[in-house]
Amino acid sequence: MIWSSEDVARDVVRRQGAGMSAVRVAQAAVRERETAEELRSPRLVERDVLASDPEELAEAWVARHAEWRRVQALMEASGWSVYEPERDSTGSVWAAERAVRRERALAAHAAHVERRHAAADEVQAKVWGAAGPGRLLRQAAARAGLTPSEVLAQLAGRVVVGEDCAVSVAPFIPSR
């Protein structure tokens, strides 16, 4: 699951912001400016100083700064001396939405993994047979009210592999 830079910023501020004062907002502004300057720096391009993408880094700090400003405005409007995430109704709604999206993504991933595991045990094959055996297979399928593919699936389900790797199938009558 990929979160936007705003989602990441909201999560970071919510986790790190408990007990936050206005000093944190000033620190975020300084870091945002420094990151933007690094992004424009020619030495950055020449030496590949940053391991991460500088544009992503700058975007992340812009989003964090915006979130810190929102929290600061909330604190001033509410008269709080420190930030308490559980009292932040907007932040709590966003956190709940992120948790729901995360749970859905985890459930979808688990279902995908389960389908892949189940599919790993399945074998699908296209069978090209000679006209004679093909005609006999179609006749047996028609008598049983099945398709030739269904008869072949029943045949494959009865395969026995011997110790010498010989493959055999005991005689059977296809049925629904």
Side-chain angles (χ1 to χ4, degrees):
M1 173 177 73
I2 298 175
W3 283 4
S4 69
S5 55
E6 289 80 11
D7 281 334
V8 172
R10 290 171 183 157
D11 187 57
V12 167
V13 169
R14 192 164 176 77
R15 282 185 290 112
Q16 296 177 350
M20 176 200 86
S21 65
V23 173
R24 293 290 293 209
V25 176
Q27 289 172 345
V30 168
R31 184 65 183 125
E32 177 186 354
R33 188 184 72 247
E34 289 172 352
T35 305
E37 289 170 3
E38 287 175 2
L39 180 60
R40 291 187 291 271
S41 171
R43 71 174 174 76
L44 178 69
V45 176
E46 293 169 6
R47 289 197 262 162
D48 195 25
V49 174
L50 293 176
S52 63
D53 182 4
E55 289 181 16
E56 286 181 23
L57 185 60
E59 184 180 315
W61 281 106
V62 167
R64 283 187 189 180
H65 184 70
E67 182 62 8
W68 285 122
R69 285 192 314 251
R70 184 195 71 80
V71 168
Q72 182 182 28
L74 173 67
M75 289 171 58
E76 289 172 0
S78 302
W80 300 346
S81 59
V82 295
Y83 178 63
E84 297 176 42
E86 59 278 354
R87 292 176 60 193
D88 180 358
S89 59
T90 303
S92 295
V93 167
W94 288 336
E97 289 171 356
R98 280 191 306 278
V100 167
R101 285 197 317 262
R102 181 177 186 277
E103 289 303 317
R104 285 183 186 152
L106 289 174
H109 177 70
H112 173 72
V113 168
E114 182 63 30
R115 283 191 305 273
R116 298 254 343 244
H117 283 240
D121 293 339
E122 295 177 3
V123 175
Q124 293 184 357
K126 234 179 201 181
V127 177
W128 293 91
R135 193 171 28 258
L136 293 172
L137 177 64
R138 283 192 303 279
Q139 287 173 356
R143 275 190 242 125
L146 301 169
T147 65
S149 295
E150 291 170 325
V151 172
L152 287 173
Q154 289 182 19
L155 178 72
R158 290 172 169 78
V159 167
V160 176
V161 180
E163 289 181 20
D164 60 349
C165 294
V167 179
S168 61
V169 177
F172 74 99
I173 298 174
S175 62
R176 281 206 169 263

